[in-house]
Amino acid sequence: MAPRTTTLELHKEEMKFSAGHFTIFSATHRENLHGHNFSVYVALTGEVADDGLLSDYGPLKQAIINRCKSWNETFFLPSRSKHLRLERDEKGNHVAHFNGEELRFLARDVTVLPVANVSLEELARVFGEELVGDGSGMARDHITGLVVKCASGPGQWASWEWKRDV
């Protein structure tokens, strides 16, 4: 009998977060500070095992929910932007320098992300790379593909995809 593959999709009520950001378009142009109610969708693809399961996806689902909780009610700043310089002041708060502007943020309100820009594309990538890790857990569970989608509202999504090297 040929292997049976399936795609398991996760999009639970707890897989959401509210966060602020601004997108940087050039060295002189950025959006104003604003926020979104983001949601996350994850799809696992792989081979169904003899027990009828693709994976025990409970730990993965919990990791998604935990990441959403940690990002909820924070303001995102990109650490890899070529147009924005971040520093910490004497109190440990964040100071962002952009095109002659100085934007100040309390440390407790900020999540600094390893991204060039705070965009749906980058949020989906960071989320996905964290879930995949080194890929060993995915291989153990016969997972061959993962898709992570982040939405900033109805009808506006970006996807990041991982495929296991076979």
Side-chain angles (χ1 to χ4, degrees):
M1 191 163 161
R4 183 168 53 113
T5 60
T6 191
T7 298
L8 202 151
E9 300 177 73
L10 303 171
H11 184 61
K12 307 288 283 180
E13 179 63 25
E14 304 94 334
M15 294 178 183
K16 63 182 181 181
F17 58 95
S18 298
H21 81 113
F22 55 87
T23 301
I24 300 169
F25 298 107
S26 71
T28 59
H29 178 64
R30 70 167 177 85
E31 292 179 314
N32 288 334
L33 308 180
H34 66 283
H36 298 279
N37 293 317
F38 294 93
S39 60
V40 179
Y41 159 97
V42 175
L44 307 165
T45 299
E47 187 177 321
V48 177
D50 292 338
D51 62 2
L53 299 173
L54 167 63
S55 168
D56 174 5
Y57 59 87
L60 183 71
K61 184 169 59 172
Q62 193 57 53
I64 297 164
I65 292 167
N66 290 345
R67 170 54 59 218
C68 288
K69 284 181 181 178
S70 73
W71 283 359
N72 193 44
E73 295 183 354
T74 65
F75 192 87
F76 294 147
L77 290 173
S79 67
R80 298 179 182 166
S81 172
K82 63 183 180 180
H83 303 302
L84 184 78
R85 183 174 52 86
L86 298 179
E87 62 183 29
R88 302 294 283 265
D89 67 14
E90 66 283 349
K91 294 181 180 177
N93 294 317
H94 296 274
V95 182
H97 299 272
F98 176 82
N99 190 31
E101 299 173 327
E102 185 176 275
L103 298 93
R104 296 185 164 273
F105 302 91
L106 294 174
R108 71 183 192 116
D109 293 334
V110 170
T111 299
V112 177
L113 297 173
V115 298
N117 215 334
V118 179
S119 63
L120 288 176
E121 299 90 331
E122 290 279 65
L123 293 176
R125 177 189 59 81
V126 169
F127 224 108
E129 287 177 351
E130 182 176 304
L131 292 176
V132 169
D134 65 4
S136 62
M138 299 286 173
R140 187 175 48 254
D141 285 345
H142 307 288
I143 296 169
T144 57
L146 177 83
V147 173
V148 176
K149 293 183 178 184
C150 284
S152 60
Q156 189 162 312
W157 296 84
S159 299
W160 176 88
E161 190 169 345
W162 170 85
K163 290 189 184 210
R164 182 164 42 109
D165 295 329
V166 182

